[in-house]
Amino acid sequence: MGLTKQYLRYVASAVFGLIGSQKGNIVFVTLRGEKGRYVAVPACEHVFIWDLRKGEKILILQGLKQEVTCLCPSPDGLHLAVGYEDGSIRIFSLLSGEGNVTFNGHKAAITSLKYDQLGGRLASGSKDTDVIVWDVINESGLYRLKGHKDAITQALFLREKNLLVTSGKDTMVKWWDLDTQHCFKTMVGHRTEVWGLVLVSEEKRLITGAADSELRAWDIAYLQEIADLEEPEPKKVKGSFPAVQETQDDGTSEVDEAPEDRILTCRKVGSLMREGRDRVVNLVVDRTGRILACHGTDSVLEVFCILSKEEVQKKMDKKVKKAKKKAKLNSSSGEEEGLEVTVEMTLQDEIQRVTNIKTSAKIKSFDLIHSPQGELKAVFLLQNNLVELYTMNPSTPAPQPVRTNRITIGGHRSDVRTLSFSSDNIAVLSGAADSIKIWNRSTLQCIRTMTCEYALCSFFVPGDRQVIIGTKTGKLQIYDLASGNLLETVDAHDGALWSLSLSPDQRGFVSGGADKSVKFWDFELVKDENSTQKRLSVKHTRTLQLDEDVLSVSYSPNQKLLAVSLLDCTVKIFYVDTLKFFLSLYGHKLPVICMDISYDGALIVTGSADRNVKIWGLDFGDCHKSLFAHDDSVMYLKFVPKSHLFFTAGKDRKIKQWDADKFEHIQTLEGHHQEIWCLAVSPNGDYVVSSSHDKSLRLWERTREPLILEDEREMQREAEYEESVAKEDQPAVPGETQGDNYFTGKKTIETVKAAERIMEAVELYREETAKMKEHKAICKAAGKEVPLPINPILMAYGNISPSAYVLEIFKGIKSSELEESLLVLPFSYVPDILMLLNEFIQQGSDIELLCRCLFFLLRIHFGQITSNQMLVPVIEKLKETTISKVRQVRDVIGFNMAGLDFLKRECEAKSEVMFFADATSHLEEKKRKRKKREKLILTLT
């Protein structure tokens, strides 16, 4: 039996070249006690924290696989909630950068995250149309709110009342009473999707942004407050009148779903016209509730100021004065005394346009913050991989926004279309539509940025001191790396210059373009008229004219052959010395976009838009194998130096490694979230860099870990199984109607594993108790103690009892996965668990956890438990112990709270005394100094 060929695994090493990705939103975060200096931005699956002042990345919150779609910092500034594409939410600590809490409940991408005022609850809205309220402290879901018919766009808690207001793409704004978890009012005054929602003026006014250019304002009146103001009406009989229809001024109506529970009314009071014609993308109000800002799909942020009652009154007084003056002038006779002037107050009197901020590109998202100096800071994440910060003083009459910082150096403005490695494996070149950048591979810092035309292909000139790029307009551009200067631009082709290949003797290169020609170039040193130094230039030596556009060119390692891929789907091979035709490689159904020749000149591999990769012998042009490589076009292909292994990159977002001798697929590198344009393999084969339409560059590193193909396939199957588990339909809750909203979890592989652990623990408990009984009987029969062999699992836990082991397993389940794990447990385990819970609760530890388990099991298995005669005594006992123990816990907590309150008061009293003491000592010191000064003056005189 032959040895299996050993491969080494490549792993993801870093994401760079990315400043912020488009799907999520930018937010200010508080770090090291500083506000307004640091921002969090989504970066594919990670979150980057940037220091705006220094322009440096200071922290990466590591994601798993899914792209980030939503960010929300906690009110205390210590945590950041991050929502992902697959509907999961993670809460990261900004101090440690770790994400300890995960919430799984949504089936689709998270579109909105909001904390309540204290940060104890988090409301998440998703594309799956549900809103879930999570208990952040207990790390569990509280309830799911169903009712919207399309993706949720915003969810806000009200400060004073236990209410939640949500908006969706279904044109609805819904009000939820969180005490009863139902929707008590639906506002239907919008004809298009509601994209933004904010509460202003002490939560007495709601402003909504939709798909047109008006911001609508609604006054909210809480019925309790109205009732206090008005005369008490004669009481109506509950439920005796139909649902109320309130007609709005634009003819639409609003439906009250439960008229007897009416909590508030909403009345449309007018609208503000935006300058933007398209939909509102983001509508934000700052923390002080004074500044309102919004933007559409363009590059303008419109800023409004919400005036205080006093300011509005002043404005109205001025208006009345003006009107009186006008009336005076208009009335001819002297009857001014009795003139009554009425002035209507409009929404424009209360909300004033301040200014517009124009950014350098389309805005994707923004955030506002007030600095202690009263300045307003607005930070923007732009469409072209850029972060900009503007500041202005909104209290001045005509405030001018000033751009104070921008983060640009760490990434290109557009997609990277070409990558190259330097010969020492250290520098990486990336080229995009307007610039090329040189990166240090080990630190991932950008060392040089040079402006260029649209780059399509590139290489480092031998010696690594210059680089040459080929552009979309057919030019060759030569750059000097030390100075960063453009040395020369040469008109090489009449169409796009698609490909460059350095000659193996390193004296020149060949270029292929859309003008159906292949040109040969030699390097030369030339002297400019005004300088003594020689500089690098290129000399055109020969041209090979063809019948079709040239897409790719490649030299064979011995420089005898040149492969040229043409638009007619063939690859033609020519002799380099005579330019005579040698072979045609025919078989692809669509043009060959990329190709490479192996280090020994034995194989040529071609990748095409038909998704196939073909491996050919270069001696006779026979096709060794055709591989279906990707689910979309193969965009790039490169051999690993000194081997017959090669990498392919596809529009299907995957990079795959193949063995060209065995025609085996070795491994897939997944990570990019959009199509991949190109990749480069380092000369020593240890590194791969790839670039994608998601604007990120990714570095992959060869490890020393051997990769066994069978294991790789096994892992792939496991991953597929785990995905299928998550996609299975949720089990119906027994005795629950569909759409009941206390249930927030979602079946994942983790919850299935947790349920299996509970089942194993209960089985172990059953076996061990049976053994104990048997053992006791044996001891009785023998009349002496016989040692009982201890279960190794219990030994591992420090020789604990079987029931204590079950408790340990319950404690080990993540709080956010507890209910979901209990839900998949078969009922046959429930009686045992109930008995154990009774025993645990009597011991009096972990009461909260045990009660959670108990109440959940009772709720979902209510029918079966109540109809089972055997369980009646168990439930009776549980009732007794639970009530008494919960009372004890409550008393302890009450006592502790009172103690803490007392301590707080003591501290405050002490600090006041300290404050006075400080102040008096300060005064005495001043007196002393004055005396000293007087003495000095005396002695001097």
Side-chain angles (χ1 to χ4, degrees), residues 879-894:
K879 190 175 159 187
E880 276 173 39
T881 46
T882 310
I883 291 172
S884 67
K885 288 292 175 187
V886 169
R887 202 169 279 147
Q888 276 179 18
V889 172
R890 200 180 59 197
D891 292 347
V892 169
I893 290 173

PDB file of all heavy atoms in Angstrom, residues 879-894:
ATOM      1  N   LYS A 879     -44.517  22.439  44.871  1.00  0.00           N
ATOM      2  CA  LYS A 879     -45.244  23.673  45.172  1.00  0.00           C
ATOM      3  C   LYS A 879     -44.801  24.213  46.528  1.00  0.00           C
ATOM      4  O   LYS A 879     -44.437  25.385  46.662  1.00  0.00           O
ATOM      5  CB  LYS A 879     -46.743  23.380  45.159  1.00  0.00           C
ATOM      6  CG  LYS A 879     -47.623  24.614  45.225  1.00  0.00           C
ATOM      7  CD  LYS A 879     -49.082  24.202  45.069  1.00  0.00           C
ATOM      8  CE  LYS A 879     -49.997  25.262  45.623  1.00  0.00           C
ATOM      9  NZ  LYS A 879     -51.389  24.807  45.641  1.00  0.00           N
ATOM     10  N   GLU A 880     -44.772  23.314  47.507  1.00  0.00           N
ATOM     11  CA  GLU A 880     -44.372  23.740  48.859  1.00  0.00           C
ATOM     12  C   GLU A 880     -42.957  24.299  48.869  1.00  0.00           C
ATOM     13  O   GLU A 880     -42.713  25.434  49.271  1.00  0.00           O
ATOM     14  CB  GLU A 880     -44.417  22.540  49.816  1.00  0.00           C
ATOM     15  CG  GLU A 880     -45.788  22.256  50.392  1.00  0.00           C
ATOM     16  CD  GLU A 880     -45.767  20.947  51.196  1.00  0.00           C
ATOM     17  OE1 GLU A 880     -44.756  20.711  51.886  1.00  0.00           O
ATOM     18  OE2 GLU A 880     -46.741  20.177  51.091  1.00  0.00           O
ATOM     19  N   THR A 881     -42.014  23.440  48.428  1.00  0.00           N
ATOM     20  CA  THR A 881     -40.593  23.846  48.531  1.00  0.00           C
ATOM     21  C   THR A 881     -40.325  25.104  47.720  1.00  0.00           C
ATOM     22  O   THR A 881     -39.657  26.013  48.195  1.00  0.00           O
ATOM     23  CB  THR A 881     -39.657  22.729  48.037  1.00  0.00           C
ATOM     24  OG1 THR A 881     -40.165  22.229  46.811  1.00  0.00           O
ATOM     25  CG2 THR A 881     -39.528  21.606  49.022  1.00  0.00           C
ATOM     26  N   THR A 882     -40.878  25.174  46.495  1.00  0.00           N
ATOM     27  CA  THR A 882     -40.566  26.323  45.628  1.00  0.00           C
ATOM     28  C   THR A 882     -41.037  27.609  46.286  1.00  0.00           C
ATOM     29  O   THR A 882     -40.266  28.557  46.404  1.00  0.00           O
ATOM     30  CB  THR A 882     -41.243  26.149  44.252  1.00  0.00           C
ATOM     31  OG1 THR A 882     -40.935  24.852  43.761  1.00  0.00           O
ATOM     32  CG2 THR A 882     -40.744  27.177  43.267  1.00  0.00           C
ATOM     33  N   ILE A 883     -42.282  27.616  46.750  1.00  0.00           N
ATOM     34  CA  ILE A 883     -42.816  28.867  47.307  1.00  0.00           C
ATOM     35  C   ILE A 883     -41.974  29.317  48.499  1.00  0.00           C
ATOM     36  O   ILE A 883     -41.567  30.472  48.591  1.00  0.00           O
ATOM     37  CB  ILE A 883     -44.309  28.704  47.687  1.00  0.00           C
ATOM     38  CG1 ILE A 883     -45.136  28.568  46.401  1.00  0.00           C
ATOM     39  CG2 ILE A 883     -44.802  29.880  48.516  1.00  0.00           C
ATOM     40  CD1 ILE A 883     -46.587  28.201  46.594  1.00  0.00           C
ATOM     41  N   SER A 884     -41.644  28.369  49.390  1.00  0.00           N
ATOM     42  CA  SER A 884     -40.894  28.787  50.587  1.00  0.00           C
ATOM     43  C   SER A 884     -39.480  29.244  50.220  1.00  0.00           C
ATOM     44  O   SER A 884     -38.999  30.251  50.732  1.00  0.00           O
ATOM     45  CB  SER A 884     -40.839  27.652  51.611  1.00  0.00           C
ATOM     46  OG  SER A 884     -40.070  26.596  51.098  1.00  0.00           O
ATOM     47  N   LYS A 885     -38.826  28.497  49.300  1.00  0.00           N
ATOM     48  CA  LYS A 885     -37.439  28.862  48.960  1.00  0.00           C
ATOM     49  C   LYS A 885     -37.380  30.188  48.199  1.00  0.00           C
ATOM     50  O   LYS A 885     -36.490  31.006  48.444  1.00  0.00           O
ATOM     51  CB  LYS A 885     -36.784  27.761  48.111  1.00  0.00           C
ATOM     52  CG  LYS A 885     -36.455  26.517  48.890  1.00  0.00           C
ATOM     53  CD  LYS A 885     -35.338  26.774  49.889  1.00  0.00           C
ATOM     54  CE  LYS A 885     -35.106  25.548  50.758  1.00  0.00           C
ATOM     55  NZ  LYS A 885     -34.174  25.791  51.835  1.00  0.00           N
ATOM     56  N   VAL A 886     -38.330  30.397  47.280  1.00  0.00           N
ATOM     57  CA  VAL A 886     -38.324  31.654  46.520  1.00  0.00           C
ATOM     58  C   VAL A 886     -38.546  32.826  47.473  1.00  0.00           C
ATOM     59  O   VAL A 886     -37.906  33.871  47.361  1.00  0.00           O
ATOM     60  CB  VAL A 886     -39.381  31.630  45.385  1.00  0.00           C
ATOM     61  CG1 VAL A 886     -39.553  33.023  44.779  1.00  0.00           C
ATOM     62  CG2 VAL A 886     -38.973  30.632  44.314  1.00  0.00           C
ATOM     63  N   ARG A 887     -39.419  32.585  48.470  1.00  0.00           N
ATOM     64  CA  ARG A 887     -39.663  33.644  49.462  1.00  0.00           C
ATOM     65  C   ARG A 887     -38.364  33.972  50.200  1.00  0.00           C
ATOM     66  O   ARG A 887     -38.030  35.139  50.386  1.00  0.00           O
ATOM     67  CB  ARG A 887     -40.739  33.165  50.442  1.00  0.00           C
ATOM     68  CG  ARG A 887     -41.441  34.308  51.145  1.00  0.00           C
ATOM     69  CD  ARG A 887     -42.672  33.852  51.908  1.00  0.00           C
ATOM     70  NE  ARG A 887     -43.841  33.693  51.068  1.00  0.00           N
ATOM     71  CZ  ARG A 887     -44.785  32.783  51.285  1.00  0.00           C
ATOM     72  NH1 ARG A 887     -44.679  31.946  52.299  1.00  0.00           N
ATOM     73  NH2 ARG A 887     -45.837  32.710  50.496  1.00  0.00           N
ATOM     74  N   GLN A 888     -37.632  32.920  50.585  1.00  0.00           N
ATOM     75  CA  GLN A 888     -36.350  33.137  51.279  1.00  0.00           C
ATOM     76  C   GLN A 888     -35.399  33.975  50.424  1.00  0.00           C
ATOM     77  O   GLN A 888     -34.817  34.945  50.892  1.00  0.00           O
ATOM     78  CB  GLN A 888     -35.674  31.795  51.576  1.00  0.00           C
ATOM     79  CG  GLN A 888     -36.159  31.128  52.845  1.00  0.00           C
ATOM     80  CD  GLN A 888     -35.465  29.791  53.059  1.00  0.00           C
ATOM     81  OE1 GLN A 888     -34.421  29.520  52.468  1.00  0.00           O
ATOM     82  NE2 GLN A 888     -36.042  28.948  53.904  1.00  0.00           N
ATOM     83  N   VAL A 889     -35.271  33.559  49.155  1.00  0.00           N
ATOM     84  CA  VAL A 889     -34.346  34.266  48.258  1.00  0.00           C
ATOM     85  C   VAL A 889     -34.770  35.732  48.136  1.00  0.00           C
ATOM     86  O   VAL A 889     -33.933  36.638  48.182  1.00  0.00           O
ATOM     87  CB  VAL A 889     -34.328  33.589  46.860  1.00  0.00           C
ATOM     88  CG1 VAL A 889     -33.529  34.427  45.867  1.00  0.00           C
ATOM     89  CG2 VAL A 889     -33.720  32.196  46.955  1.00  0.00           C
ATOM     90  N   ARG A 890     -36.090  35.926  48.015  1.00  0.00           N
ATOM     91  CA  ARG A 890     -36.591  37.294  47.864  1.00  0.00           C
ATOM     92  C   ARG A 890     -36.248  38.122  49.099  1.00  0.00           C
ATOM     93  O   ARG A 890     -35.820  39.274  49.004  1.00  0.00           O
ATOM     94  CB  ARG A 890     -38.106  37.253  47.653  1.00  0.00           C
ATOM     95  CG  ARG A 890     -38.654  38.536  47.016  1.00  0.00           C
ATOM     96  CD  ARG A 890     -40.139  38.460  46.815  1.00  0.00           C
ATOM     97  NE  ARG A 890     -40.816  38.240  48.102  1.00  0.00           N
ATOM     98  CZ  ARG A 890     -42.063  37.810  48.226  1.00  0.00           C
ATOM     99  NH1 ARG A 890     -42.761  37.508  47.146  1.00  0.00           N
ATOM    100  NH2 ARG A 890     -42.624  37.649  49.403  1.00  0.00           N
ATOM    101  N   ASP A 891     -36.400  37.513  50.284  1.00  0.00           N
ATOM    102  CA  ASP A 891     -36.079  38.236  51.521  1.00  0.00           C
ATOM    103  C   ASP A 891     -34.603  38.611  51.562  1.00  0.00           C
ATOM    104  O   ASP A 891     -34.238  39.725  51.939  1.00  0.00           O
ATOM    105  CB  ASP A 891     -36.435  37.385  52.750  1.00  0.00           C
ATOM    106  CG  ASP A 891     -37.953  37.217  52.878  1.00  0.00           C
ATOM    107  OD1 ASP A 891     -38.673  37.960  52.175  1.00  0.00           O
ATOM    108  OD2 ASP A 891     -38.402  36.347  53.657  1.00  0.00           O
ATOM    109  N   VAL A 892     -33.753  37.649  51.170  1.00  0.00           N
ATOM    110  CA  VAL A 892     -32.301  37.915  51.186  1.00  0.00           C
ATOM    111  C   VAL A 892     -31.988  39.090  50.268  1.00  0.00           C
ATOM    112  O   VAL A 892     -31.268  40.030  50.628  1.00  0.00           O
ATOM    113  CB  VAL A 892     -31.508  36.658  50.733  1.00  0.00           C
ATOM    114  CG1 VAL A 892     -30.055  36.998  50.484  1.00  0.00           C
ATOM    115  CG2 VAL A 892     -31.632  35.561  51.790  1.00  0.00           C
ATOM    116  N   ILE A 893     -32.577  39.041  49.057  1.00  0.00           N
ATOM    117  CA  ILE A 893     -32.296  40.113  48.091  1.00  0.00           C
ATOM    118  C   ILE A 893     -32.808  41.443  48.629  1.00  0.00           C
ATOM    119  O   ILE A 893     -32.125  42.463  48.553  1.00  0.00           O
ATOM    120  CB  ILE A 893     -32.919  39.785  46.715  1.00  0.00           C
ATOM    121  CG1 ILE A 893     -32.153  38.622  46.075  1.00  0.00           C
ATOM    122  CG2 ILE A 893     -32.880  40.987  45.783  1.00  0.00           C
ATOM    123  CD1 ILE A 893     -32.747  38.090  44.796  1.00  0.00           C
ATOM    124  N   GLY A 894     -34.013  41.424  49.226  1.00  0.00           N
ATOM    125  CA  GLY A 894     -34.578  42.654  49.784  1.00  0.00           C
ATOM    126  C   GLY A 894     -33.661  43.235  50.854  1.00  0.00           C
ATOM    127  O   GLY A 894     -33.388  44.438  50.868  1.00  0.00           O
TER     128      GLY A 894
END
